[in-house]
Amino acid sequence: MQIYEELVARGLIAQVTNEEEIKKMVNEGKAVFYIGFDPTADSLHVGHFMALCLMKRLQMAGNRPIALIGGGTGMIGDPSGRSDMRTMMTPEIIQHNCDCFKKQMSRFIDFSEGKAMMVNNAEWLLGLNYIEFLREVGPHFSVNNMLRAECYKQRMEKGLSFLEFNYMIMQSYDFYELFQRYGCNMQFGGDDQWSNMLGGTELIRRKLGKDAHAMTITLLLNSEGKKMGKTQSGAVWLDPEKTTPFDFYQYWRNVADADVLKCLRMLTFLPIEQIDEMDHWEGSQLNTAKEILAYELTKLVHGEEEADKAQEGARALFSAGGSTENMPSCELADEDFKDGSIDILSILHKSGLSASRSEARRNVEQGGVSVDGEAVKDVKAVYTRSQFEGEGMVFKRGKKKFVKVVVK
C-alpha cells in the first residue's frame, strides 16, 4: 500500500482538487506541501495534532513539508469556525508563540537541511504596500464567490469585519508566495479551510498560468459530531506545562467506544492491518484499544518515558495494578494543617479537584468524591497529617479527576 492509499484507508482525506495528480505526486515523493499554523497561543493543541501527523507521514514517504507560521495572518485572525472576532495580539506575543511552535513541531518533523522548512508569512505580508497589493491581487477575487464561502457565510448574521474578510486573500497570497519562493506545489489543511485553499490555487493559475493543488484533512470529530481535543476546562495542549502527559494520556484513554478505532487509524502510526484486526473488538477489549491509543499518542507527543509513567499511573488508579508514583500529585505543607488535621473541602480545593470550597461541598454532597476508593459522604470529614505520610492518599472526584495527596 502506497502513502496516498494509506491516507485514504485511514480516513484522513476529505477533499482534493485533482486526485490522480495528487496521488501521483505524493506516492512518488514529489510533493512540496505546506500547512499553515496561526500562532494564536503559546502551544499547539490536539486540533493541530492530525496536521502534524500528516506532515510526518508524508515526510517519511519522501515528500517535503513546509510548516508555515502565520506571523502575518495571525495579526488578522481566521474567521473560520468562529462566532466572534479573535483577540488582537502584539508582534512580541506572536513571535513568542512562533518560537514555541517550532520547538513542539520538531518532535514530529525533521527540519534538517533539505528535509523540511519552517517559514513565517510575516516575511512577505508585513512589508506589502496596500495600493500595490490591491492592484496585483484584488482583480483576481470575486466578492460574490467569497461571500458564498462557508467560513464567511456563518459569520454574516453576527457581523463580519472587513479585517477578517481579508483573511482568504492573505492565505491565498501565502500559497502564491510559497509557490514562487520554494516550489511549493500543494497545500494541505483542515476541511474548514477548503475555500481559502481554492483561492490560492486559483490565484496561482491566474497570475502564473500554472497548476497547484489542495487537499483537505478530515476534521477530528467525535461520534456526536463535535471537534475532539476539548474538555470542560479547555483545550488539550501539547505543551506538558499546560496539559500534563498524564492528563493527555487520560484524555485519549477516555474517548468513547465509538471513536477509539477511528482515532487509532487517523492519529497513530500502527500498521493499518493491526488496527483492522481490532474492528470486531468489543467490551473489555475496547478498553485495551483505548490504552493502546492513549499510550501511542502520549509517546508521540511526550516520549516513551512519559508514556510509560502515564500508563503506570492510570493502571494504579483504575486497574489496581501499577505504581501510584506517576499519578498527578499535590503536596500539603505544615501550614495547610490546623491542629494536625485538614478538612475534605480544603483538600479538594487545594489539589485543584474543585475550583472552590463551595464547589467542593457540592461535589461531596452529590456523592462524587472518594478517598482511596471509599466514598466520602460527610462534608466535615477531616484527615490527620500522619494519614498522608508514606505513599499518600488518592482523592478522586467523578470518574476521571483524581490526585495523590502527600505531605512535604
Side-chain angles (χ1 to χ4, degrees), residues 35-66:
I35 298 181
F37 300 83
D38 273 352
T40 52
D42 59 0
S43 171
L44 297 164
H45 53 70
V46 164
H48 299 115
F49 193 57
M50 186 147 29
L52 293 172
C53 290
L54 179 69
M55 294 174 89
K56 182 179 175 74
R57 291 183 205 280
L58 289 166
Q59 186 179 52
M60 289 166 65
N63 298 284
R64 189 181 182 199
I66 298 174

Side-chain angles (χ1 to χ4, degrees), residues 104-342:
Q104 291 180 337
M105 286 179 180
S106 296
R107 289 197 67 91
F108 295 83
I109 303 159
D110 178 1
F111 284 107
S112 58
E113 189 67 32
K115 295 291 184 67
M117 298 179 65
M118 178 169 285
V119 181
N120 191 326
N121 62 17
E123 288 180 28
W124 53 83
L125 292 181
L126 297 190
L128 287 173
N129 177 291
Y130 188 58
I131 298 300
E132 288 179 7
F133 180 72
L134 284 179
R135 287 174 62 86
E136 182 183 359
V137 175
H140 302 296
F141 285 84
S142 159
V143 171
N144 290 3
N145 287 339
M146 290 173 73
L147 290 176
R148 282 195 287 270
E150 197 60 40
C151 62
Y152 290 146
K153 276 196 322 191
Q154 62 192 7
R155 287 291 301 280
M156 293 300 285
E157 288 182 19
K158 290 197 174 184
L160 174 72
S161 72
F162 182 70
L163 178 76
E164 294 173 297
F165 188 62
N166 280 266
Y167 192 88
M168 181 187 290
I169 302 174
M170 297 286 100
Q171 185 171 330
S172 300
Y173 191 75
D174 282 345
F175 199 176
Y176 172 70
E177 282 288 331
L178 290 169
F179 186 94
Q180 293 186 96
R181 291 174 181 233
Y182 307 113
C184 177
N185 49 30
M186 199 176 298
Q187 181 185 1
F188 294 160
D191 203 31
D192 54 354
Q193 295 293 312
W194 183 240
S195 300
N196 294 341
M197 293 162 72
L198 291 181
T201 61
E202 186 66 7
L203 181 62
I204 291 167
R205 187 185 67 78
R206 286 170 175 260
K207 292 281 292 178
L208 304 174
K210 296 181 179 179
D211 290 330
H213 306 281
M215 182 179 92
T216 60
I217 314 161
T218 309
L219 294 176
L220 188 60
L221 305 176
N222 63 19
S223 50
E224 297 171 352
K226 296 178 182 176
K227 278 189 178 182
M228 296 187 74
K230 296 274 188 185
T231 66
Q232 287 185 335
S233 57
V236 179
W237 302 97
L238 306 193
D239 182 346
E241 297 297 319
K242 295 169 81 76
T243 298
T244 67
F246 187 90
D247 287 339
F248 186 86
Y249 178 97
Q250 282 301 109
Y251 175 80
W252 297 107
R253 174 62 182 80
N254 291 315
V255 299
D257 291 357
D259 297 323
V260 60
L261 288 177
K262 178 177 71 176
C263 289
L264 279 165
R265 285 193 177 91
M266 296 175 89
L267 298 174
T268 75
F269 286 78
L270 294 174
I272 193 73
E273 297 81 8
Q274 181 182 342
I275 300 168
D276 286 344
E277 289 174 6
M278 301 180 194
D279 269 336
H280 64 277
W281 285 12
E282 55 188 29
S284 62
Q285 287 179 307
L286 285 176
N287 287 330
T288 302
K290 291 177 189 181
E291 275 200 345
I292 294 169
L293 172 69
Y295 182 82
E296 290 295 324
L297 297 191
T298 307
K299 184 170 73 171
L300 261 178
V301 174
H302 298 295
E304 190 168 355
E305 184 179 347
E306 290 297 333
D308 288 339
K309 287 181 182 178
Q311 189 169 69
E312 277 288 307
R315 284 177 175 173
L317 185 78
F318 296 106
S319 307
S323 169
T324 63
E325 179 187 349
N326 300 308
M327 281 187 189
S329 63
C330 167
E331 283 191 348
L332 298 178
D334 288 339
E335 55 267 27
D336 293 317
F337 294 89
K338 291 182 180 178
D339 299 325
S341 63
I342 182 171

